Amino acid sequence: MQILEFVLQVILGITSLLLTLLILLHKGRGGGLSDMFGGGMTSALGSSGLAERNLNRFTVVLALVWFVAIVSLGLITKFQGL
């Protein structure tokens, strides 16, 4: 059980970092924090529609993996004392 917990913690750490990077790669929609960092100036030079859709899909899949790792770690922690 300790090996599974360790593997889930590693997966959680890696997916957390990747999710942060992927979210920062998304094109800004304007009027928010992305404009403060220059997102408003480069919005016309953003990625193509296909690249943005693939980035969205990869982000959603990675978020689901992150969520499953969180729930699994919580269940392992809860039932470890039993």
Side-chain angles (χ1 to χ4, degrees):
M1 204 52 125
Q2 290 177 350
I3 295 172
L4 179 63
E5 189 175 353
F6 177 74
V7 168
L8 284 173
Q9 287 177 350
V10 169
I11 289 172
L12 183 64
I14 291 171
T15 55
S16 296
L17 291 173
L18 286 175
L19 264 177
T20 303
L21 292 174
L22 286 177
I23 289 170
L24 288 174
L25 282 176
H26 279 274
K27 183 170 45 171
R29 300 284 187 235
L33 195 59
S34 62
D35 281 343
M36 184 186 307
F37 296 110
M41 295 185 305
T42 60
S43 63
L45 303 173
S47 60
S48 68
L50 179 63
E52 187 72 23
R53 279 195 308 267
N54 288 337
L55 184 62
N56 286 340
R57 289 179 187 143
F58 192 63
T59 304
V60 168
V61 169
L62 199 63
L64 289 174
V65 170
W66 181 83
F67 180 75
V68 168
I70 289 279
V71 170
S72 301
L73 274 172
L75 289 174
I76 288 172
T77 304
K78 181 178 181 179
F79 292 117
Q80 204 168 28
L82 296 178

